[in-house]
Amino acid sequence: MLKLQKMLVGAMARLDEAMVINLVKQGLKMGINPYVLLEEIRTGTKKVGELYNKGEYFLSDLIVASEIFKDVVAIVMQDGVAKVSYPFPPIIFGTVEEDIHDIGKSITIGILSYSGFEVCDLGVDVPATAFVDAVKQFDSRIICLTGLITQSYDSMKKTVQLLEEAGLRQQTIVIIGGLVNETVRKYTGADYWSTDCAQVVELCRHILFSTNEVKAETV
Ligand code: B12
């Protein structure tokens, strides 16, 4: 099992799509948790980013990496039907203004949906006003923001500020993910940060269940 996972990291770093897809299918057949497989590919993607930084890969290679990732996500999510559904307003999710990175967003949304949460995906390069409008429209309690470039930190901050101006900050928990850390969280004024898509499920459960006395419905 470990050997397959190691091979997956290497195949992704080499941008060998056929090998990556083959290994993912094998891994799924062997019963490896799909998210473990996605995490290995993410490690491979990080290596692609490092090689890009060194000038060994080009922008076109980053695009290839993202296409491979999307194909893998499609395979992994194919039979990912939610077993429960929670009666909460949708979680608002989007990649913030100026940023178009959406692979991590798609994975995290997939995991949340698989875990029973309704998610409203606003897409990429989403202006702060669109997040605020969505919170108003759906009466949502949680906003998830993805950002991977330095400029996205200002967009996140602007989103939090607009929520405040709209009088919605008290009712809304803001979670950020992507290339973020505690310093970014403080700068943006968000409530939580995470780079672990599995952790966000527990976090959302905790937030929504601690404020609402509801039970999950089995579907
Ligand atoms: C693929 C890629 C691209 C693709 C994106 C395709 C797409 N559809 O997403 C393309 C080629 C388009 C691209 C473009 C650019 N990119 Co780029 N890209 C990457 C790369 C290699 C991988 C990113 C990725 O998808 N990782 C895999 C996913 C799964 O990881 P993730 O996003 O972190 O998500 C995980 C967690 O963070 C979490 N998560 C994600 N969102 C959320 C949200 C919440 C709420 C939570 C809780 C969790 C969570 O869940 C995921 C799974 O655990 C990174 C390198 C790196 N080290 O990350 C550079 C990188 C992010 N890019 C970079 C740059 C500079 C650019 C460009 C500016 C390049 C250019 N000169 O044009 C443009 C920016 C365009 C724009 N305006 O956004 C830099 C950013 C540096 C910086 N600090 O600003 C990086 C770091 C590369 C580098 N130099 O090292 N890029």
Side-chain angles (χ1 to χ4, degrees):
M1 248 190 213
L2 275 175
K3 193 175 164 213
L4 184 140
Q5 288 167 228
K6 213 173 154 192
M7 282 168 76
L8 201 46
V9 177
M12 186 65 198
R14 291 193 308 277
L15 299 174
D16 182 346
E17 170 148 31
M19 178 65 96
V20 171
I21 302 285
N22 199 349
L23 289 168
V24 167
K25 286 184 176 164
Q26 269 186 49
L28 290 172
K29 260 193 202 155
M30 287 162 72
I32 302 180
N33 183 326
Y35 303 116
V36 170
L37 296 172
L38 286 175
E39 276 306 301
E40 301 303 347
I41 296 176
R42 185 159 82 107
T43 308
T45 315
K46 270 191 186 162
K47 291 192 191 252
V48 173
E50 284 160 20
L51 292 168
Y52 172 74
N53 276 343
K54 283 190 200 158
E56 289 179 39
Y57 273 160
F58 302 102
L59 199 56
S60 54
D61 296 310
L62 293 189
I63 295 171
V64 172
S66 71
E67 292 306 321
I68 298 177
F69 215 117
K70 280 185 182 166
D71 290 347
V72 171
V73 171
I75 294 172
V76 166
M77 297 296 172
Q78 243 164 25
D79 57 357
V81 180
K83 291 172 186 61
V84 293
S85 87
Y86 297 121
F88 300 121
I91 294 168
I92 308 298
F93 216 123
T95 300
V96 295
E97 194 163 23
E98 295 201 44
D99 196 332
I100 60 162
H101 293 87
D102 68 349
I103 301 171
K105 171 175 77 67
S106 301
I107 296 176
T108 312
I109 289 177
I111 293 174
L112 282 168
S113 308
Y114 183 78
S115 308
F117 293 100
E118 195 186 335
V119 182
C120 170
D121 182 0
L122 298 182
V124 299
D125 191 13
V126 180
T129 48
F131 285 107
V132 174
D133 289 348
V135 170
K136 279 186 194 154
Q137 184 184 346
F138 295 108
D139 195 27
S140 292
R141 296 287 176 269
I142 299 180
I143 297 190
C144 287
L145 307 175
T146 295
L148 272 87
I149 52 173
T150 315
Q151 296 93 306
S152 61
Y153 306 149
D154 280 330
S155 305
M156 288 172 168
K157 189 175 180 161
K158 192 172 158 194
T159 306
V160 174
Q161 278 169 350
L162 269 195
L163 280 172
E164 250 158 35
E165 285 167 25
L168 296 167
R169 186 67 184 99
Q170 292 280 11
Q171 73 162 61
T172 323
I173 299 290
V174 181
I175 311 174
I176 58 170
L179 276 188
V180 296
N181 54 32
E182 177 59 13
T183 309
V184 175
R185 187 201 65 75
K186 281 191 183 142
Y187 176 73
T188 58
D191 298 297
Y192 298 96
W193 69 275
S194 175
T195 53
D196 178 345
C197 48
Q199 200 184 30
V200 77
V201 171
E202 281 317 307
L203 188 55
C204 289
R205 271 203 195 111
H206 175 75
I207 294 165
L208 292 170
F209 279 95
S210 62
T211 48
N212 297 274
E213 289 265 323
V214 288
K215 287 194 174 78
E217 292 166 6
T218 307
V219 289

